[in-house]
């Protein structure tokens, strides 16, 4: 429960304990960067005690250690449940030093004990081949945020705080990190944080003045401008300033006390039913020197408090005796003999402020979210099926149908509060509108009578920042909850890089036995390339799929359901899955319903298969097809079926096989992806020697990339988006990219041996039809009636 706590006075003895802890953490950090032997400096440092390659970041580390020490005290003093997110994740030595000191590291990795052998191992493994990375990577207990790519700390921290009412997430924001676009927009996250039902985030702006080689902008603002900026973002900033000569333990402790008191009072008011609209959340601005307590000067040049402290302040320790000596003096300045016993264990008194068990920052269960993960209570997706009496007889808007299922996922999990839908202002545009029947869109700011569907405790989260949406959801998932991100297809590229980092995180986390699986990141891409009715070229880019394909097969899934029932089946599968990034591409526009629910389930289970009802190669003699028409994606499927219709009517002897691919990964070889087909299966489906005309939702080369090793690859002819587009009709769009039914018929005629001469007239008709379709759009502003009204006629 959130009791409002008064500031707890900090005694002189407390500050000495904090200082001893801080010195120990700093010592351990320097040791990790430099030493491969002699961890306790039992003998004078020799070149052979030094790592051959010095890799790590010192500059941010002492500040992070200072923050960690003080968070520990605050956790104890306020009986608080806290987590830490470290924006400057290159400060890995700090996180590792602290989790070792508090014992979380040994709990996670029993081979690294809190003794001299363990300290030796801690030092040696850091940034060392076969050891641990230099960042706050998944290997570090207590972390949900690697921080290698800067910019996502605040959005991750808020994701962790949503629906965790007792949790305070301390979030260190680097002053360089604060210059990034994603970080800059994520200051607004607290405007979506409901003090009644969510936890809190305490941003700590680490104003150490410098980036790698430049000053940080925020550090050079006049104080009143910085203050005005942060207040404008809705915070109540408090300032803690330290220097080479002054360590502000008292100020930091008091400031944290006030901040936690303030957080709890906002929460208590809100939880007593008094809305806290516009509440100013506390934040801390910590202005301390970069490389604090490190070498003041090296080779006559200033280092502490400058950009030179960013990485390794003494670079030539192995070869330059003066540097070696300076390192030894630096390490001894922390007086390790006062901090560690002869066996290397930290003196118990310096750990007096370290909390126990899961209150330790390195042991927070929230930071290993899989241990807290509860399955979603999912409705039976079959209940939302559209009725399909004959393939293509009726149409529906797939995402609208999905919205009804997501609505009930929200409803059923309202009590366990572990499912959210995020999107950049597009939930309704993407036709998931039904979700708003059971919840609102989160909004903590003022409202006007004209506003619709806003609610302080809404479970649909919309902010026009794809970065923030993605960051919130990642934070939410990594702390053991579930979610759904829907986005315009073209603009998901904005988070290409964030996706990269999340996929990397999952890849590594899956290999760590102590990290429990988390819910998959589900990304629905809709309002897609082929149907940009009132937008156009800027909104046409299906390349995210190409991008995700670069990541490890074991964490990537891409689905292209061709209609509403297949979308439901895919969505159900994704919501149950763990440790993946699921990318689903599905349209929101009216689209023929091809498969009844039973067929949809079978088809999705196969991932790719022959559509018997559309094919005629199985008729009669069981001979092989003359041509295979492959399709992946809703619009390509429609065009392939329309082309098949023409072929079967006009060339009834031609044996046509229609193969639809829902799960794109099925095309890969089995050795490349767990879903990949064996060559035998692939050949059975696509044949080894017949022409395959493949209509694909995205850029055509991806299909070649996936199939280049297959026997029949030379016969693959892929149509897809080739960067032709504008604001025009749906059929004109497919024509502009030569993926229309008429062009597909021409492709068949051109590629089936012996057909060209026999079908010359049909080919000419197709050219003429393309011309007619084009001029019809120019004259009437819409597609040809026979195109618009085409339906599959059962045979
Ligand atoms: C998005 C991104 N761009 C560039 C970098 C390269 N980089 C690593 S550290 C750093 C400076 C970071 O400065 P700050 O956030 O203030 O951290 P600190 O000074 O505390 O080390 C930069 C530019 C990066 N890691 N991520």
């Amino acid at each position: 429960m959130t009791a409002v706590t008064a500031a707890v006075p900090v005694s002189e003895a407390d500050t000495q304990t904090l200082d001893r802890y801080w010195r120990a953490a700093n010592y351990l950090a320097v040791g990790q960067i430099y030493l491969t032997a002699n961890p306790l400096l039992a003998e004078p440092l020799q070149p052979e005690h030094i790592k051959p390659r010095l890799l790590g970041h010192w500059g941010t580390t002492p500040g992070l250690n200072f923050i960690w020490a003080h968070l520990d005290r605050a956790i104890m003093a306020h009986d608080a449940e806290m987590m830490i997110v470290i924006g400057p994740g290159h400060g890995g030595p700090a996180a590792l030093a602290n989790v070792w000191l508090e014992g979380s590291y040994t709990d996670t990795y029993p081979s690294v004990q809190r003794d001299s052998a363990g300290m030796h191992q801690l030092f040696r493994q850091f940034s060392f081949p076969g050891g641990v990375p230099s960042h706050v990577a998944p290997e570090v207990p207590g972390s949900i945020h690697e921080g290698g790519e800067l910019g996502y700390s605040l959005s991750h921290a808020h994701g962790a705080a949503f629906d965790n009412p007792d949790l305070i997430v301390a979030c260190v924001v680097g002053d360089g990190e604060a210059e990034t676009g994603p970080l800059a927009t994520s200051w607004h996250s607290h405007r979506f944080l409901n003090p009644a039902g969510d936890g809190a985030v305490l941003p700590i702006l680490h104003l150490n003045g410098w980036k790698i080689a430049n000053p940080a902008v925020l550090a050079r603002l006049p104080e009143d401008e910085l203050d005005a900026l942060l207040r404008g973002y809705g915070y109540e900033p408090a300032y803690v300033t330290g220097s080479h000569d002054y360590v502000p333990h008292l100020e930091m402790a008091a400031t944290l006390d006030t901040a936690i008191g303030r957080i709890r009072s906002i929460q208590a008011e809100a939880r007593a039913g008094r809305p806290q609209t516009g509440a100013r959340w506390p934040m801390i601005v910590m202005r301390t020197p970069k490389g604090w307590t490190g070498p003041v000067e090296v080779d006559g040049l200033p280092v502490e408090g400058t950009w030179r402290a960013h990485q390794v302040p003494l670079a030539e320790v192995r070869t330059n005796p003066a540097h070696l000596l300076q390192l030894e003096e630096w390490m001894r300045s922390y007086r390790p003999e006062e901090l560690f016993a002869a066996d290397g264990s930290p003196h118990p008194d310096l750990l007096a402020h370290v909390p126990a068990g899961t209150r330790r920052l390195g042991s927070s269960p929230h930071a290993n979210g899989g241990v807290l993960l509860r399955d979603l209570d999912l409705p039976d997706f079959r209940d939302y099926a559209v009725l399909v009496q004959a393939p293509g007889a009726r149409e529906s808007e797939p995402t609208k149908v999905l919205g009804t299922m997501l609505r009930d996922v929200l409803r059923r999990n309202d009590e366990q509060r572990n499912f959210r839908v995020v999107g950049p202002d597009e939930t309704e545009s993407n036709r998931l509108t039904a979700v708003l029947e059971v919840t609102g869109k989160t909004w903590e700011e003022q409202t006007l009578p004209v506003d619709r569907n806003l609610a302080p405790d809404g479970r649909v989260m919309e902010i026009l920042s794809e970065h923030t949406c993605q960051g919130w959801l990642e934070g939410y998932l990594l702390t053991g909850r579930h979610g759904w991100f829907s986005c315009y297809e073209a603009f998901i590229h904005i988070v290409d890089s964030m996706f990269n980092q999340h996929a990397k995180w999952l890849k590594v986390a899956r290999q760590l036995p102590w990290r429990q699986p988390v819910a998959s990141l589900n990304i629905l891409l809709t309002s897609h390339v082929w149907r940009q009715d009132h937008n156009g070229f800027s909104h046409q880019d299906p390349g995210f799929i190409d991008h995700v394909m670069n990541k490890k097969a074991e964490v990537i899934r891409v689905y292209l359901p061709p209609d509403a029932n297949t979308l439901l089946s895919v969505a159900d599968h994704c919501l149950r899955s763990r440790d993946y990034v699921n990318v689903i591409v599905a349209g929101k526009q009216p689209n023929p319903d091809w498969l009844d629910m039973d067929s949809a389930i079978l088809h999705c289970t196969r991932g790719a298969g022959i559509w018997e009802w559309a094919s005629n190669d199985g008729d009669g003699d069981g001979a092989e097809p003359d041509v295979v028409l492959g399709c992946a994606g809703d619009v390509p499927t429609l065009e392939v079926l329309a082309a098949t219709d023409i072929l079967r009517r006009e060339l009834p002897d031609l044996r046509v096989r229609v193969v639809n691919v829902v799960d794109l990964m099925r095309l890969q070889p089995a050795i490349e992806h767990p879903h990949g087909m064996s060559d035998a299966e692939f050949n059975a489906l696509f044949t080894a020697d017949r022409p395959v005309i493949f209509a694909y939702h995205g850029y055509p080369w991806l299909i070649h990339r996936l199939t280049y090793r297959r026997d029949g690859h030379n016969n693959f002819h892929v149509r897809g988006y080739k960067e032709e587009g504008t604001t025009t009709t749906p059929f004109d769009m497919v024509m502009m990219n030569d993926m229309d039914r008429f062009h597909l018929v021409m492709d068949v005629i051109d590629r089936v041996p012996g057909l060209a001469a026999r079908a010359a007239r049909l080919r000419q008709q197709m050219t003429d039809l393309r011309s007619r379709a084009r001029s019809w759009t120019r004259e009437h502003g819409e597609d040809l009636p026979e195109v618009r009204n085409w339906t599959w006629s059962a045979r």
Side-chain angles (χ1 to χ4, degrees):
M1 263 315 291
T2 43
V4 180
T5 41
V8 185
V10 179
S11 69
E12 183 56 32
D14 288 334
T15 63
Q16 281 174 21
T17 307
L18 286 163
D19 203 65
R20 280 164 63 70
Y21 178 96
W22 184 46
R23 275 160 44 207
N26 287 340
Y27 178 85
L28 294 168
V30 184
Q32 289 176 73
I33 294 173
Y34 284 97
L35 299 191
T36 185
N38 193 18
L40 284 161
L41 298 184
E43 54 177 304
L45 271 185
Q46 303 294 329
E48 58 270 25
H49 300 150
I50 308 298
K51 293 182 178 179
R53 303 172 76 233
L54 299 175
L55 307 167
H57 298 82
W58 163 249
T60 193
T61 295
L64 298 177
N65 286 338
F66 182 78
I67 291 167
W68 196 299
H70 278 269
L71 290 177
D72 276 353
R73 190 209 60 86
I75 290 169
M76 299 273 278
H78 296 266
D79 189 17
E81 189 182 7
M82 291 186 94
M83 235 183 95
I84 188 167
V85 170
I86 296 177
H90 44 279
L96 288 162
N98 284 285
V99 291
W100 186 82
L101 273 177
E102 67 180 25
S104 303
Y105 201 75
T106 305
D107 291 351
T108 312
Y109 302 102
S111 63
V112 185
Q113 289 291 311
R114 272 194 296 180
D115 57 18
S116 59
M119 194 192 292
H120 178 229
Q121 172 69 10
L122 181 76
F123 288 5
R124 194 183 149 76
Q125 68 183 15
F126 177 78
S127 269
F128 203 79
V132 301
S134 63
H135 284 63
V136 192
E139 288 89 340
V140 180
S143 173
I144 60 160
H145 176 89
E146 138 116 25
E149 183 168 291
L150 301 167
Y152 317 134
S153 59
L154 259 187
S155 55
H156 280 169
H158 281 84
F162 296 139
D163 295 319
N164 269 327
D166 297 329
L167 184 66
I168 300 176
V169 187
C171 178
V172 187
V173 178
D175 50 4
E177 182 191 16
E179 292 172 20
T180 64
L183 196 289
T185 181
S186 66
W187 289 115
H188 292 302
S189 295
H190 71 82
R191 304 186 195 280
F192 298 82
L193 188 90
N194 175 16
D198 296 329
V201 173
L202 176 61
I204 303 174
L205 178 61
H206 193 194
L207 218 61
N208 61 12
W210 306 88
K211 298 170 293 205
I212 298 176
N214 282 290
V217 172
L218 293 188
R220 295 291 173 93
L221 295 189
E223 279 174 17
D224 59 336
E225 273 187 33
L226 178 64
D227 194 70
L229 178 73
L230 299 174
R231 283 178 189 279
Y233 281 135
Y235 291 99
E236 179 74 45
Y239 297 84
V240 174
T241 304
S243 67
H244 174 74
D245 300 315
Y246 184 70
V247 184
H249 285 302
L250 279 173
E251 292 82 345
M252 186 66 172
T255 305
L256 273 172
D257 287 341
T258 309
I260 293 174
R262 172 88 189 128
I263 286 170
R264 288 191 163 167
S265 103
I266 294 173
Q267 291 176 336
E269 289 292 306
R271 291 169 198 187
R274 290 182 284 275
Q276 294 295 291
T277 309
R280 267 184 195 286
W281 290 93
M283 71 169 287
I284 297 175
V285 180
M286 193 178 99
R287 197 187 283 271
T288 53
K290 190 153 182 167
W292 202 10
T293 73
V296 175
E297 272 189 10
V298 176
D299 300 332
L301 296 170
V303 173
E304 188 194 25
T306 79
W307 51 271
R308 286 197 188 86
H310 182 68
Q311 287 177 356
V312 180
L314 295 159
E316 298 160 14
V317 195
R318 262 192 153 201
T319 50
N320 180 338
H323 281 199
L324 185 67
L325 193 62
Q326 207 176 349
L327 173 64
E328 181 157 349
E329 283 168 3
W330 173 17
M331 292 195 75
R332 289 198 191 280
S333 75
Y334 299 119
R335 304 194 293 283
E337 64 288 356
E338 294 176 11
L339 309 173
F340 304 102
D343 68 356
S345 58
H347 281 306
D349 71 291
L350 66 84
L351 302 178
H353 292 311
V354 173
T358 54
R359 283 289 165 99
R360 291 170 297 176
L361 292 171
S363 295
S364 167
H366 298 288
N368 183 9
V371 301
L372 301 175
L373 186 66
R374 292 178 64 187
D375 287 349
L376 283 174
D377 175 3
L378 291 175
D380 186 341
F381 66 96
R382 296 170 192 83
D383 293 347
Y384 307 87
V386 295
L387 189 66
V388 181
Q389 276 159 341
R394 281 177 39 182
E395 289 188 332
S396 48
E397 295 150 83
T399 56
K400 189 170 171 193
V401 176
L402 175 69
T404 60
M405 175 172 136
L406 291 178
R407 173 196 64 207
D408 292 346
V409 178
L410 283 161
R411 193 189 341 242
R412 292 168 83 108
N413 296 281
D414 191 45
E415 206 141 296
Q416 61 181 37
R417 303 188 71 72
N418 63 348
F419 181 66
R420 293 202 182 216
V421 173
V422 301
D425 187 30
E426 292 163 8
T427 305
E428 286 153 284
S429 170
N430 290 337
R431 310 216 175 145
L432 299 175
T433 321
V435 297
L436 298 175
E437 291 167 21
V438 295
T439 187
K441 295 181 283 184
T442 323
W443 192 257
E444 307 300 324
E445 295 297 318
Q446 294 173 21
T447 53
L448 296 174
V450 71
D451 292 333
R452 273 188 320 169
N453 298 320
L454 303 182
D457 59 352
R459 307 196 64 73
V460 173
M461 307 202 66
E462 299 202 319
I463 181 171
L464 212 175
S465 159
E466 286 77 4
H467 287 122
T468 308
C469 291
Q470 171 89 7
W472 285 346
L473 184 54
E474 288 177 0
Y476 198 63
L477 299 175
L478 291 171
T479 48
R481 285 76 65 75
H482 307 255
W484 191 269
F485 183 8
S486 84
C487 190
Y488 283 4
E489 182 182 45
F491 304 142
I492 192 69
H493 274 302
I494 290 168
V495 298
D496 275 5
S497 212
M498 291 184 83
F499 150 80
N500 282 345
Q501 299 304 322
H502 189 71
K504 284 172 190 288
W505 180 280
L506 291 178
K507 182 212 174 243
V508 177
R510 288 165 68 96
Q511 292 155 2
L512 299 169
W514 59 273
R515 282 221 181 252
Q516 298 302 309
V518 294
S520 301
L521 170 60
N522 299 312
I523 302 178
L524 170 69
L525 301 182
T526 182
S527 305
H528 64 52
V529 53
W530 299 110
R531 296 302 306 271
Q532 281 305 326
D533 295 359
H534 49 238
N535 287 304
F537 198 37
S538 62
H539 286 51
Q540 292 161 350
D541 193 309
F544 187 67
I545 303 174
D546 302 64
H547 179 70
V548 304
M549 290 300 304
N550 295 327
K551 288 286 159 294
K552 279 310 247 195
E554 68 234 34
V555 297
I556 299 305
R557 304 288 183 268
V558 179
Y559 299 102
L560 294 143
D563 69 358
N565 285 340
T566 48
L567 175 60
L568 289 170
S569 172
V570 163
D572 177 75
H573 180 74
C574 293
L575 287 169
R576 292 173 195 278
S577 73
R578 300 284 182 267
D579 277 349
Y580 299 149
V581 180
N582 295 308
V583 178
I584 307 164
V585 187
K588 65 181 183 183
Q589 303 289 353
N591 180 75
D593 300 316
W594 304 115
L595 302 185
D596 62 39
M597 190 41 104
D598 288 343
S599 312
I601 294 169
L602 286 174
H603 186 53
C604 291
T605 309
R606 288 190 293 257
I610 300 170
W611 280 6
E612 287 293 351
W613 49 269
S615 313
N616 66 348
D617 64 311
D619 298 352
D621 55 10
E624 287 188 28
D626 297 313
V627 64
V628 177
L629 288 181
C631 45
D634 48 14
V635 169
T637 301
L638 171 67
E639 291 309 310
V640 156
L641 288 168
T644 305
D645 191 26
I646 299 170
L647 288 166
R648 289 185 56 185
R649 199 174 49 240
E650 303 296 330
L651 301 170
D653 296 341
L654 188 76
R655 280 187 292 262
V656 181
R657 175 183 292 178
V658 174
V659 174
N660 183 270
V661 179
V662 188
D663 173 353
L664 206 58
M665 304 297 115
R666 295 284 284 144
L667 296 179
Q668 294 212 60
I671 52 161
E672 296 294 340
H673 195 282
H675 290 189
M677 282 186 226
S678 68
D679 281 339
E681 236 182 317
F682 191 91
N683 288 347
L685 207 52
F686 290 103
T687 77
D689 53 3
R690 303 298 152 117
V692 179
I693 311 298
F694 199 109
Y696 169 55
H697 172 85
Y699 293 103
W701 3 105
L702 181 63
I703 301 299
H704 289 296
R705 198 173 136 195
L706 296 175
T707 57
Y708 79 98
R709 281 207 219 155
R710 303 294 191 176
D711 293 338
H713 177 246
N714 284 347
N715 305 318
F716 262 66
H717 181 70
V718 186
R719 292 288 172 193
Y721 182 65
K722 42 189 192 185
E723 208 60 24
E724 290 293 340
T726 181
T727 311
T728 188
T729 64
F731 193 67
D732 200 33
M733 260 306 291
V734 285
M735 279 206 304
M736 287 176 82
N737 291 280
D738 296 338
M739 200 184 71
D740 57 282
R741 57 200 68 178
F742 305 134
H743 211 292
L744 294 175
V745 170
M746 288 156 59
D747 288 336
V748 170
I749 294 170
D750 291 349
R751 281 171 179 78
V752 172
L755 198 57
R758 192 151 62 87
R761 280 179 194 78
L762 179 61
R763 196 184 192 291
Q764 189 168 303
Q765 272 173 29
M766 296 297 109
T767 318
D768 295 349
L769 276 170
R770 275 170 59 89
S771 306
R772 183 170 130 74
R774 171 71 38 88
S775 47
W776 185 277
T777 60
R778 300 311 185 255
E779 198 181 330
H780 299 278
E782 61 179 355
D783 285 324
L784 274 174
E786 61 260 42
V787 169
R788 260 187 294 132
N789 301 328
W790 175 86
T791 52
W792 176 260
S793 38
R795 290 178 168 79

